[in-house]
Amino acid sequence: MTNLDLTIIVPTYNLGQYLPATLKSIQEQTIDIELWLIDDASTDQTAQTVTNFVRGVPHYHATFFNHHRGIGAARNFGINHATGKFIAFVDGDDLIAPTFAETLVRGFSLTPGVVATAVGYDWWHRSRGGSDRFQLLSQAEMFDQVSHHGTEIGGYIWNKAFSHAALDAGNIRYKEQLRIAEDYDFTAEYVAHTRGNYAYNPTILYKKINRPNSTMHNFSWDDRRQEDQIFDHIYQLKRLI
């Protein structure tokens, strides 16, 4: 058990040369965090990199699946074992600024009833950013942001932190069978079922790395049809708000 406010969850799978830079950026955070690394049966040196990184650090934890179960299963394992009041997710080939964790946590103290926070991100040359100043959004405003492609905040999970208590209260977990748009599904489910304020700081603190052999570059037509079904479901969720 720890008394750290934020748990960062990082699924890992055959990340090769990308993972060390990600772990270094986590290590350089300006506040202490709990870390869960969940290796999804990597067949390269990733598992050894994970083992070496957590060794000797009490609030860094690792687990190793004995067969490949998918990113949803890895993230769910992290949620179920996290002890932080807030939960954030980082992809194992991405980079976070030193103040990423601190800023996400700071957003929860802006006003009573903040249930999730978000920061700006850089991906595919999208780096508009803004000043280090939070803005509050209603549940409906946040849902509009997370339920559509191309919005400023986005439906991704990796530039956000979620209330652990709210995740458990709504039984919000990843649908492990999804191969595409699982971020949008998770985030939209969370917002649709979680009343309260949402805090957004546009400062760019998360950098998404475009890895050529990543899962997102290998989707089939069946996956794309599944994405359409997911967004149909997301649009139906709006009635809950």
Side-chain angles (χ1 to χ4, degrees):
M1 296 290 289
T2 73
N3 60 357
L4 303 174
D5 284 336
L6 183 71
T7 298
I8 292 180
I9 296 168
V10 185
T12 66
Y13 178 65
N14 289 354
L15 291 170
Q17 63 183 351
Y18 290 90
L19 181 58
T22 301
L23 296 179
K24 184 174 185 291
S25 73
I26 292 172
Q27 194 174 44
E28 293 174 343
Q29 293 304 291
T30 55
I31 62 171
D32 289 334
I33 55 96
E34 180 185 50
L35 175 67
W36 271 99
L37 298 170
I38 301 96
D39 188 71
D40 194 14
S42 292
T43 58
D44 66 356
Q45 72 271 30
T46 294
Q48 188 60 54
T49 301
V50 167
T51 299
N52 294 341
F53 186 74
V54 302
R55 184 178 293 125
V57 186
H59 49 282
Y60 286 2
H61 313 285
T63 196
F64 304 88
F65 291 170
N66 58 16
H67 64 279
H68 188 61
R69 294 169 55 186
I71 195 169
R75 287 170 174 165
N76 284 341
F77 184 97
I79 296 171
N80 293 337
H81 289 80
T83 65
K85 292 190 295 184
F86 316 119
I87 293 180
F89 302 90
V90 172
D91 286 351
D93 50 1
D94 293 341
L95 301 173
I96 55 176
T99 57
F100 172 78
E102 178 185 348
T103 304
L104 288 174
V105 171
R106 179 160 50 95
F108 284 97
S109 64
L110 287 181
T111 187
V114 173
V115 293
T117 59
V119 296
Y121 63 90
D122 182 9
W123 189 23
W124 290 108
H125 308 295
R126 181 207 175 282
S127 55
R128 178 169 43 181
S131 60
D132 181 11
R133 184 174 180 178
F134 276 97
Q135 45 193 276
L136 290 176
L137 290 83
S138 67
Q139 182 188 18
E141 290 170 331
M142 188 64 167
F143 189 83
D144 284 343
Q145 283 286 319
V146 305
S147 59
H148 299 88
H149 286 298
T151 62
E152 182 173 351
I153 298 175
Y156 317 110
I157 46 89
W158 32 254
N159 65 327
K160 299 176 179 65
F162 304 86
S163 161
H164 195 170
L167 285 170
D168 287 346
N171 194 29
I172 308 298
R173 294 295 188 270
Y174 281 88
K175 296 183 177 116
E176 297 181 10
Q177 75 276 15
L178 298 184
R179 276 180 41 85
I180 192 170
E182 74 280 354
D183 282 14
Y184 278 92
D185 180 83
F186 178 89
T187 308
E189 287 276 3
Y190 181 89
V191 176
H193 290 93
T194 309
R195 299 188 183 280
N197 295 311
Y198 291 79
Y200 170 57
N201 187 318
T203 307
I204 295 172
L205 302 178
Y206 194 102
K207 183 176 180 61
K208 188 74 179 160
I209 302 300
N210 182 29
R211 184 162 54 97
N213 61 338
S214 65
T215 303
M216 66 174 292
H217 290 285
N218 296 286
F219 291 136
S220 66
W221 284 112
D222 285 341
D223 292 326
R224 296 299 179 186
R225 283 193 290 269
Q226 185 181 71
E227 182 180 37
D228 291 340
Q229 293 170 357
I230 291 167
F231 274 93
D232 286 344
H233 168 67
I234 287 171
Y235 300 146
Q236 294 300 314
L237 289 173
K238 190 170 185 179
R239 73 184 188 278
L240 301 177
I241 300 174

